[in-house]
Amino acid sequence: GAVHWGLTMRGDRSPYWYAWSITPAVMGWLAIVFLNIKISLLALAVAFTLAWSVDRQASRHGLIPAWYMQMRHILTAGATISLLATAFAPPVG
């Protein structure tokens, strides 16, 4: 989200990007505060995927640099796989 906030401040973006820039943080906060741990982990995996999808569309429209998406693919895959692995891991003890 912070990347979109910074890009919107340049002035050549729609102000709606400000709203999107806080959306991932709000989604994460809501998932952690209001959901049980397993559902929260799954919701966070969905949120990461949604944020990646928005970034991918922005990249296709030339709104963010290609190098950023290369990094974003790797980081999103790592975070999402980790969240899903933790959500589906057997209970300890």
Side-chain angles (χ1 to χ4, degrees):
V3 169
H4 292 288
W5 186 275
L7 291 172
T8 304
M9 288 180 16
R10 292 185 352 184
D12 61 345
R13 303 288 193 279
S14 165
Y16 291 112
W17 282 105
Y18 284 121
W20 170 250
S21 70
I22 64 166
T23 301
V26 171
M27 289 170 52
W29 180 78
L30 291 171
I32 291 170
V33 171
F34 293 109
L35 302 174
N36 74 45
I37 188 68
K38 276 198 181 240
I39 301 299
S40 177
L41 292 167
L42 294 172
L44 289 171
V46 170
F48 270 98
T49 304
L50 174 64
W52 169 84
S53 178
V54 170
D55 284 354
R56 186 169 171 233
Q57 292 301 317
S59 177
R60 286 184 174 173
H61 289 89
L63 299 175
I64 55 177
W67 66 263
Y68 175 78
M69 278 315 294
Q70 291 172 345
M71 178 183 67
R72 187 78 159 94
H73 293 315
I74 295 165
L75 294 175
T76 301
T80 303
I81 290 167
S82 297
L83 289 164
L84 293 174
T86 304
F88 292 109
V92 176

